[in-house]
Amino acid sequence: MREEFVSILEALDESALSGYDFRQLAMDQLSFLDEYKWSGVYVLVGETLFLDAYNGDAPEHKEIPVGRGVCGSAVSENRNKIIEDVRTESNYLACSVLTRSEIVVLIKQNDEILGQIDIDGHKVGAFTSEDEAFLSQMAQRLADRWD
Ligand code: SME
């Protein structure tokens, strides 16, 4: 795994925070990565995703129904999503006109979806399976200290 990814996971492991503060620390750490232009956590309550900790501009979509957009469809399809170019995605909710690519990684505990990490990038194809592997490790840490 890339050294900067390892450093971020180490920073999380060294922190004593939990819950929202821990999730905010994680999103703030992601802002140091060049391609990560907006980073946020959405928490799943019933059939709705609610915006939780984030780093970047306040987004328009603070509540997203399951099935809507990239975020909502990740939940309804129970899988992570990597969108190379959001302009080709029909089920997409725009938060910034600058966004070109997006990755959503589910946060799960014992097969239950707690929420998700959502990242926007400004370049086409900014995120790969390497980002997914890194964010999956972050998601497990967030789940372990969910509160
Ligand atoms: N693009 C997402 C909405 C969330 S914003 O990117 C922060 C979607 O299509 O669900």
Side-chain angles (χ1 to χ4, degrees):
M1 193 179 299
R2 267 158 57 186
E3 204 171 313
E4 53 189 351
F5 290 167
V6 173
S7 304
I8 288 174
L9 295 174
E10 283 174 358
L12 295 184
D13 291 341
E14 284 163 14
S15 157
L17 297 172
S18 65
Y20 177 86
D21 292 342
F22 187 54
R23 297 193 286 276
Q24 186 65 59
L25 172 70
M27 297 305 101
D28 292 344
Q29 287 286 322
L30 292 178
S31 72
F32 296 125
L33 299 169
D34 282 347
E35 304 297 340
Y36 288 52
K37 303 300 185 190
W38 188 91
S39 304
V41 171
Y42 283 91
V43 172
L44 180 65
V45 181
E47 289 295 301
T48 307
L49 288 161
F50 292 90
L51 182 64
D52 184 73
Y54 66 94
N55 186 296
D57 293 339
E60 191 183 326
H61 303 287
K62 295 184 174 62
E63 294 182 19
I64 301 175
V66 168
R68 284 212 60 206
V70 177
C71 293
S73 61
V75 175
S76 58
E77 295 168 20
N78 191 19
R79 66 184 180 96
N80 299 333
K81 296 250 169 176
I82 297 177
I83 309 298
E84 293 263 311
D85 187 340
V86 297
R87 292 170 297 185
T88 66
E89 179 67 43
S90 52
N91 193 3
Y92 171 67
L93 301 170
C95 277
S96 162
V97 290
L98 297 174
T99 299
R100 288 292 175 269
S101 49
E102 178 160 3
I103 181 168
V104 173
V105 171
L106 296 174
I107 303 168
K108 290 187 183 183
Q109 195 67 290
N110 303 326
D111 286 338
E112 179 197 354
I113 300 176
L114 302 176
Q116 61 187 216
I117 302 170
D118 176 30
I119 316 289
D120 288 346
H122 290 178
K123 287 186 189 161
V124 170
F127 308 114
T128 68
S129 56
E130 201 189 357
D131 296 273
E132 183 182 2
F134 159 59
L135 291 170
S136 297
Q137 292 209 22
M138 175 175 279
Q140 190 53 60
R141 283 161 171 80
L142 298 187
D144 289 343
R145 297 196 220 175
W146 195 247
D147 276 4

